[in-house]
């Protein structure tokens, strides 16, 4: 379980970083999305991984830490809003400069 | 009422933003914004007076006690920074109300949300809540930066947004690491648990180093600072004036993290590298200021220069140095804003030449030329204005630290070079004239713009005149900042330390 999650986070981060280093806005956007997935999984794991345990504290029953789940929820909402805004900005850059490069530069 | 005072600087701009989104008429939005800014100014001044008794005012949101709930903590530093936000916000809003706000929709609501994020970032005592307020502040700043349109703003905006999204991802990784290691995100609780055994010190160091990196990105420390000059140059004039406080958010966060969390337990984390990078920031910013071809670009480099100067201080871990830094912080925010507003006024009078350092048409406005002189002298640190007092205090306090001679050399040489850059630019803007054929456009003058510019420029002489009470306040603030035990006891209510249970699971 831990190995699987760690591999997934690592792979997502690697793909995200690779895509962020591209020059065009769409791959960068995709890379940021992948990076935020990796970060959300990482945050989720910071409360330790437990199977079949509810995030509610009950006497005598095992429970999982509810706080990271709340943090992840907040992070997802914020990340989603930011990505949507970046998509709008990239579209505006495309229509204003005619190029989808991140620096709105020339294609040549 | 006094019990609920800490939440007021958050509620006022937030309520104003909601009201402004509800009524779309610009005149109404302007009135709501102006009234909200005035009320925010009065409230934060009251809060700063309250906080000066040295007591820590802790506001538990929803009455959940720390460390379970989120707390707002008002000490002298937080209250003073809120007041500074309110002053800059009022001046910027006044300036923007002269017509800048007509260039796009919802300027006023976004402006209030920006103030909401800024005050929240200064007041919160919880690291995840700090992340949320950073995001509120950044999201508002993305849209304010793009306000007015134009390809240069879009270009600067894309790189600014991408860089800050990466910064946010790093921030979250740091918070996840910290929570996984210590089991808490409340700043006072983090400080308390770091002082006890029972956690992995390597992971805690890594998490805190990542946090410092993120704050350094916001503050503009050298390898992470290349976004700053193009962004601040591209932003509209009132927006850029407000943005001068945004780098200070990162610096105050580093300062608070250093004094509260690092100094008692991990004092060596900042040693060696932060001061070196800050000196490099100063050097690069000075060269950038010399090479700038517009007054706004020059001012953006000066903002970076002041950030570099301020980042010299956290690694010294000294009350005297931090007291000088706080005076310098207040002075440099206002001086940067003054130069941005003046650049806007000059540009509106010079027609197509704008604020570029090229020969332009003859323009009138002796008060503006005098204002430029005062603002430039304030920025560069010539007597008798606040820049001189700030630099004197800072250099005097840095005299006996390690590498003091190098710091003195870099700061003084950079001051000389910046003086050259400003003198050359000012001579070109004021005296080099070129006849331009055809009718000159009448300058767009509005009393709001002049009033805002004059008010911020007047801060330079005013801060110098009030140097004695202000330096006394800065000393008291730094002393309070360097008493982490009082902070921890105030936030956690003096309850006994709980053991870290993360390691044993």
């Amino acid at each position: 379980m831990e190995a699987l999650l760690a591999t997934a986070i690592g792979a997502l981060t690697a793909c995200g970083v690779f895509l962020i280093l591209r020059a065009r806005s769409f791959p960068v956007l995709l890379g940021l999305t992948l990076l935020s997935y990796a970060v959300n999984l990482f945050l989720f794991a910071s409360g330790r991984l437990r199977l079949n345990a509810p995030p509610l504290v009950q006497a005598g029953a095992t429970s999982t830490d509810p706080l990271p789940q709340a943090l992840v929820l907040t992070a997802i909402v914020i990340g989603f809003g930011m990505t949507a805004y970046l998509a709008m900005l990239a579209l505006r850059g495309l229509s204003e400069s005619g190029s989808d490069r991140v620096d709105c530069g020339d294609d040549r | 009422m006094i019990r609920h005072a800490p939440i007021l600087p958050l509620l006022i701009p937030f309520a104003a933003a909601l009201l402004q989104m509800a009524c779309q008429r610009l005149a109404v939005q302007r009135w709501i914004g102006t009234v909200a800014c005035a009320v925010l100014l009065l409230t934060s001044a009251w809060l700063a007076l309250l906080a000066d008794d040295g007591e820590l005012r802790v506001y538990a949101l929803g009455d959940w006690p720390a460390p379970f709930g989120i707390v707002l903590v008002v000490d002298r530093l937080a209250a003073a920074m809120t007041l500074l936000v309110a002053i800059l916000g009022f001046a910027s809003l006044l300036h923007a109300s002269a017509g800048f706000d007509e260039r796009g929709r919802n300027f006023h609501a976004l402006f209030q949300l920006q103030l909401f994020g800024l005050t929240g970032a200064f007041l919160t005592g919880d690291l995840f809540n700090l992340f949320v307020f950073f995001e509120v502040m950044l999201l508002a700043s993305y849209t304010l930066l793009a306000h007015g349109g134009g390809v240069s703003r879009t270009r600067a905006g894309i790189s600014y947004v991408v860089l800050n999204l990466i910064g946010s991802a790093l921030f979250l990784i740091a918070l996840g690491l910290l929570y996984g290691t210590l089991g808490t995100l409340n700043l006072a609780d983090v400080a308390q648990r770091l002082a006890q055994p029972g956690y992995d010190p390597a992971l805690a160091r890594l998490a805190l180093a990542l946090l410092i990196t993120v704050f350094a990105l916001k503050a503009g420390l050298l390898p992470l600072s290349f976004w700053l000059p193009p962004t601040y140059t591209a932003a509209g004039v009132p927006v850029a004036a407000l943005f001068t406080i945004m780098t200070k958010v990162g610096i105050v966060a580093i300062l608070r993290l250093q004094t509260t969390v690092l100094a008692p337990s991990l004092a060596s984390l900042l040693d060696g590298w932060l001061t070196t990078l800050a000196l490099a920031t100063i050097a690069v910013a000075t060269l950038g200021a010399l090479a700038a071809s517009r007054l706004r670009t020059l001012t953006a480099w000066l903002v970076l220069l002041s950030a570099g100067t301020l980042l010299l201080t956290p690694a010294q871990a000294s009350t005297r140095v931090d007291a000088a830094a706080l005076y310098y912080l207040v002075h440099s925010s206002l001086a940067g804003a003054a130069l941005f507003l003046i650049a806007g006024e000059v540009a509106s009078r010079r027609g197509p030449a704008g604020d570029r350092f090229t020969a332009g048409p003859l323009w009138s406005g002796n008060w503006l030329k005098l204002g430029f002189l005062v603002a430039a002298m304030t920025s560069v640190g010539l007597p008798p204005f606040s820049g001189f007092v700030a630099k004197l205090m800072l250099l005097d306090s840095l005299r006996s630290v390690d590498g003091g001679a190098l710091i003195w050399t870099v700061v003084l040489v950079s001051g000389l070079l910046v003086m050259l850059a400003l003198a050359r630019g000012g001579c070109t803007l004021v005296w080099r004239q070129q006849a331009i054929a055809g009718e000159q456009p009448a300058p767009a003058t509005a009393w709001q713009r002049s009033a805002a510019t004059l008010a911020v420029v007047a801060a330079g002489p005013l801060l110098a005149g009030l140097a004695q009470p202000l330096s006394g306040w800065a000393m008291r603030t730094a002393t309070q900042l360097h008493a982490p035990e009082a902070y921890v006891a105030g936030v956690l209510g003096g309850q006994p330390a709980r053991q870290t249970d993360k390691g044993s699971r």
Side-chain angles (χ1 to χ4, degrees), chain B residues 88 92-93 95-96 100 107 111 114 140-148 153 231-232 234-246 296 337 340-341:
Chain B
L88 277 176
S92 305
L93 191 72
H95 194 277
F100 182 73
F107 172 83
F111 192 89
Q114 168 93 70
S141 76
Y142 301 157
T143 44
L144 285 180
L145 171 62
H147 183 84
R153 278 183 193 151
T231 307
Y232 281 39
V237 170
V239 175
L242 185 65
F243 277 11
T244 52
I245 192 116
M246 288 236 295
R296 265 201 250 174
F340 272 125
L341 293 186

Side-chain angles (χ1 to χ4, degrees), chain A residues 38-39 60 106:
Chain A
V39 167
D106 214 327

Side-chain angles (χ1 to χ4, degrees), chain A residues 46 48 65 82 92 96 103, chain B residues 135 149 154-155 179-180 502:
Chain A
S46 72
R48 302 295 183 274
D65 193 341
M82 296 286 180
R92 188 164 131 179
E96 276 179 352
D103 57 355
Chain B
E135 297 304 306
T154 310
R155 182 187 302 137
Y179 185 77
K502 284 285 160 191

Side-chain angles (χ1 to χ4, degrees), chain B residues 89-434:
Chain B
F90 194 81
S92 305
L93 191 72
L94 196 63
H95 194 277
S97 295
F100 182 73
D101 54 353
E102 292 163 3
R103 295 190 202 167
R105 279 187 298 163
N106 287 326
F107 172 83
H108 285 279
L110 291 164
F111 192 89
Q112 295 296 328
L113 285 177
Q114 168 93 70
L115 295 183
F116 172 63
L118 281 167
T119 49
F122 286 125
L123 287 174
T124 185
D126 183 277
L127 286 171
F128 195 80
N129 200 227
L130 180 66
F131 166 75
V132 173
F133 278 121
F134 262 62
E135 297 304 306
V136 171
M137 174 183 98
L138 288 172
L139 195 48
S141 76
Y142 301 157
T143 44
L144 285 180
L145 171 62
H147 183 84
V151 70
S152 70
R153 278 183 193 151
T154 310
R155 182 187 302 137
I158 291 177
S159 52
Y160 176 67
V161 174
V162 168
L163 209 60
N164 276 299
L165 281 178
I166 300 171
S168 304
L170 276 182
F171 202 157
L172 281 174
I173 293 177
L175 292 180
L177 267 177
L178 203 62
Y179 185 77
T181 315
L182 297 174
T184 183
L185 288 174
N186 180 293
L187 193 62
D189 206 24
V190 167
Q192 195 177 46
R193 291 192 184 193
L194 272 181
Q196 301 159 354
Y199 62 91
D200 188 340
L203 280 182
R205 280 181 77 95
L206 183 61
L208 290 169
L210 269 177
L211 266 187
I212 301 266
T213 311
V214 176
F215 296 153
L217 169 70
K218 315 286 180 206
L221 192 66
L222 179 62
L224 306 172
S225 66
F226 294 104
W227 59 272
L228 196 149
T231 307
Y232 281 39
T233 310
V237 170
V239 175
L242 185 65
F243 277 11
T244 52
I245 192 116
M246 288 236 295
T247 56
K248 272 63 179 183
V249 177
I251 293 165
V252 168
I254 291 182
L255 210 57
R256 195 174 285 286
L257 201 64
Q258 194 276 328
T259 51
T260 316
V261 175
L262 299 182
S265 317
L266 286 170
S268 62
L269 192 64
L270 298 179
D271 282 357
W273 60 274
L274 187 61
T275 308
T276 316
L277 287 180
L279 285 175
T281 311
I282 295 178
V284 169
T286 309
L287 294 180
L290 276 174
S293 59
R294 296 175 63 182
L295 183 53
R296 265 201 250 174
T297 317
L298 175 56
T299 313
W301 284 107
L302 290 185
V303 170
L304 197 57
L305 178 70
S306 70
T309 312
L310 280 168
L311 285 168
L312 289 172
T313 57
Q316 316 300 344
S318 137
T319 312
R320 260 189 79 215
V321 175
D322 282 351
L326 289 172
Y327 185 85
Y328 188 89
L329 194 155
V330 174
H331 139 76
S332 65
S333 309
L334 289 166
L339 273 180
F340 272 125
L341 293 186
I342 282 180
E345 289 303 289
V346 171
S348 76
R349 280 169 169 73
R350 279 172 35 108
D355 60 343
R356 274 184 291 278
F357 296 142
T358 53
L362 183 65
W363 52 283
S364 60
N366 282 332
W367 66 269
L368 189 59
K369 294 169 185 169
L370 193 67
F372 174 72
L373 182 68
V374 172
M377 284 171 74
T378 309
S379 295
V380 80
L382 288 181
F385 301 125
S386 61
F388 175 70
V389 183
K391 217 170 238 183
L392 184 70
M393 282 166 65
L394 200 61
L395 286 179
D396 182 46
S397 68
L398 285 168
R399 197 171 38 179
S400 53
V401 302
D402 273 353
L406 181 64
I407 293 176
W408 269 57
T409 316
V410 171
V411 170
L412 288 178
V413 169
S414 116
L416 178 70
L417 293 178
V418 167
M419 188 164 69
L420 282 177
L422 274 169
R424 197 185 55 185
C427 289
T428 313
L429 285 181
V430 176
W431 285 318
R432 274 188 66 190
Q433 288 157 17
Q434 186 187 47

